[in-house]
Amino acid sequence: MSRDRMPASPKTQRRRAPAKVASNRPRRPYHHGALREALVEAAERLLAANGIEGLTLRAAAREAGVSHAAPKNHFEDVRGLQSAVAAVGFRRLSGALTAGLSGAEGADEAMDGLARAYVGFAKANPALFKLMYRAEKLDFGRPELQEATAAASGVLQRAVADRLAGRLKTTPASEQQLAGATAAWCLVHGFATLLLDGRLAPVLARMTGNPEAKAERLLDLVLAEAKTSRT
């Protein structure tokens, strides 16, 4: 047998063996410029998959592919990480509420759009929504979270101010605006919370029609009832 047809030696075969395929999970060193964003994204994935109790610094580090000590460079404790995730949620909620106002004709229609956007956000992001209102899990002294919550509440307050514009009120406009925003928030937040907790299931079971559309229909009826009680 000629030399060019001789089988490769074991050493040659070992040298020619293909390299192992690296893990699909990106591994970022602790000094990576986007580490904070990567940890927040990882934390949000964990939150959606495992709920609030499954969101820890170690779990977020593992999900992001970094050492367990890396989060300490950006978050002093788990409340810091959870607060950053909640801030992301409030910014998204602000965007959803703003989108709910688009195309509305008249103040009442705008308020209905806000209510549907609020409940729709809660339904689409149940774990994130619950975290956003778990005060014991968050640090509301953090500027990032303060700004995000203020932006979301500002959308609601401006919509209420538009609805109150031109109406005669016995109380100062600023107080009436705050009261109106609080009333609207209580209605939609209460509805969203009861829906996520399954407390509206007995009510929805008594309604006819498409099961997927029952919650939206019930919300429309609640909003109509609220308008009737104001007149």
Side-chain angles (χ1 to χ4, degrees):
M1 181 180 293
S2 62
R3 291 176 58 87
D4 59 343
R5 292 187 180 182
M6 291 180 64
S9 66
K11 288 186 178 181
T12 305
Q13 287 178 336
R14 284 197 297 271
R15 287 198 300 269
R16 292 177 180 176
K20 291 183 179 181
V21 178
S23 170
N24 290 330
R25 175 178 292 176
R27 297 192 63 83
R28 298 180 174 88
Y30 71 90
H31 61 274
H32 193 284
L35 175 58
R36 187 181 191 279
E37 292 77 7
L39 288 168
V40 172
E41 292 173 3
E44 189 175 355
R45 291 194 298 271
L46 288 170
L47 179 65
N50 305 322
I52 296 175
E53 302 308 321
L55 177 51
T56 65
L57 287 178
R58 279 182 171 269
R62 185 167 54 250
E63 177 68 19
V66 298
S67 70
H68 67 84
K72 290 290 185 179
N73 292 283
H74 297 279
F75 308 103
E76 63 280 7
D77 54 23
V78 70
R79 288 184 75 216
L81 177 59
Q82 291 173 341
S83 298
V85 175
V88 171
F90 278 110
R91 286 194 291 269
R92 289 181 188 164
L93 176 60
S94 179
L97 295 178
T98 301
L101 291 173
S102 63
E105 297 181 1
D108 285 339
E109 188 173 323
M111 293 302 297
D112 288 352
L114 279 176
R116 296 188 187 98
Y118 192 98
V119 175
F121 176 87
K123 289 174 61 180
N125 308 274
L128 179 59
F129 182 82
K130 290 179 179 180
L131 173 65
M132 289 160 58
Y133 295 99
R134 288 285 296 274
E136 79 281 7
K137 297 289 185 181
L138 308 177
D139 178 6
F140 283 94
R142 299 175 70 90
E144 178 186 25
L145 186 55
Q146 289 179 347
E147 293 171 5
T149 55
S153 62
V155 177
L156 180 58
Q157 291 184 20
R158 287 191 295 272
V160 171
D162 291 341
R163 192 182 70 186
L164 296 177
R167 299 183 184 182
L168 294 176
K169 297 295 174 183
T170 57
T171 56
S174 59
E175 291 186 5
Q176 195 68 36
Q177 177 182 342
L178 290 173
T182 301
W185 183 30
C186 288
L187 189 152
V188 297
H189 187 78
F191 187 96
T193 301
L194 291 171
L195 181 64
L196 294 185
D197 289 346
R199 303 301 295 273
L200 293 181
V203 180
L204 297 174
R206 298 177 61 183
M207 299 178 66
T208 59
N210 183 352
E212 295 297 324
K214 285 183 179 181
E216 294 181 9
R217 185 158 153 257
L218 179 59
L219 177 61
D220 288 342
L221 293 173
V222 169
L223 294 174
E225 184 64 24
K227 291 177 188 175
T228 302
S229 63
R230 288 200 304 266
T231 58

